[in-house]
Amino acid sequence: MKAMQKKSVLMVLAALCLLNLTTVFTSQAQFSLGLKVAGNAANYKDLTKMNIGLEAGLFMRLGNGFFFQPEVNYVFKSSTVLAAVDEFQDNIKLKQHFISVPALLGYHFINNENFKFRLTIGPRFDFKISDNTGNNNWKTSPVEWGGQVGAGIDFWRFALDFSYNISADRFRNNVTSETQTKLANMFILSLGFKLVK
């Protein structure tokens, strides 16, 4: 319960920060809105099988040199990991669906009208829609969170990004709740199209 309360407080603080940042960056004239699709792949030290997942959603960019980029994405993750409980080991199949909300800050190192190069960094919150671990002894949090770093280029209305999502969360055994295994980090390759340039 304490963990859930702590996450709720963090979520409220994050929402307030996003509101404040939106106000600051809206004062800078440039605004973009677009659609994106992406593939993701897990990076995990105890990974026994890696599958490609999918992402699709909306992104918004506020600012010019420095910018704020919130996103709302549907995310499907799939992987098989090796989890240890005492002397036993168990293959856990993770098939999860999320609504993901990254809140990224970035800077355009190249910022021409039809070509841009940028770096981004910020928190990412994943709200679980459904979870099928393939093993009823294991459970994951309803809200997973972590950080995301990335680099990308814009060419005309297209945006190509490569990102790395660092998970700060864990999934745990229902029987021995003290047994926890860190969730997988992810590589993400996305292609976006700006509806508003």
Side-chain angles (χ1 to χ4, degrees), residues 8-188:
S8 297
V9 170
L10 286 173
M11 295 293 295
V12 170
L13 290 175
L16 290 174
C17 288
L18 291 180
L19 181 60
N20 185 51
L21 285 169
T22 301
T23 303
V24 171
F25 282 96
T26 302
S27 64
Q28 303 182 38
Q30 193 164 342
F31 170 80
S32 298
L33 177 69
L35 303 172
K36 62 178 289 188
V37 293
N40 64 52
N43 174 31
Y44 187 73
K45 66 179 181 179
D46 295 324
L47 193 68
T48 60
K49 184 179 180 182
M50 181 168 66
N51 297 314
I52 301 299
L54 298 173
E55 304 191 12
L58 292 167
F59 69 91
M60 179 173 65
R61 208 174 287 162
L62 299 167
N64 195 5
F66 285 99
F67 63 90
F68 174 50
Q69 181 174 312
E71 301 180 9
V72 178
N73 301 310
Y74 160 77
V75 177
F76 170 69
K77 304 179 190 177
S78 178
S79 59
T80 303
V81 298
L82 186 63
V85 181
D86 298 325
E87 69 275 17
F88 302 102
Q89 292 185 328
D90 198 2
N91 284 333
I92 308 298
K93 295 180 180 178
L94 295 173
K95 292 186 177 180
Q96 302 170 297
H97 302 263
F98 297 88
I99 295 298
S100 178
V101 184
L104 306 175
L105 294 176
Y107 181 71
H108 287 115
F109 288 90
I110 300 174
N111 194 16
N112 298 325
E113 183 178 354
N114 289 314
F115 181 80
K116 303 177 188 293
F117 170 73
R118 65 187 174 279
L119 296 178
T120 56
I121 186 169
R124 171 173 166 148
F125 301 93
D126 292 347
F127 301 88
K128 189 186 303 175
I129 301 171
S130 65
D131 182 7
N132 176 14
T133 62
N135 185 316
N136 292 328
N137 290 335
W138 292 88
K139 66 178 179 180
T140 56
S141 171
V143 180
E144 297 177 9
W145 63 282
Q148 185 170 307
V149 295
I153 59 172
D154 290 359
F155 179 74
W156 189 57
R157 288 183 177 268
F158 293 97
L160 181 66
D161 286 270
F162 179 76
S163 305
Y164 188 61
N165 184 40
I166 303 164
S167 178
D169 224 328
R170 295 174 179 270
F171 66 100
R172 54 182 55 82
N173 192 287
N174 285 338
V175 179
T176 58
S177 59
E178 70 280 0
T179 304
Q180 301 181 16
T181 301
K182 192 174 184 301
L183 290 172
N185 298 332
M186 286 193 311
F187 293 102
I188 305 164

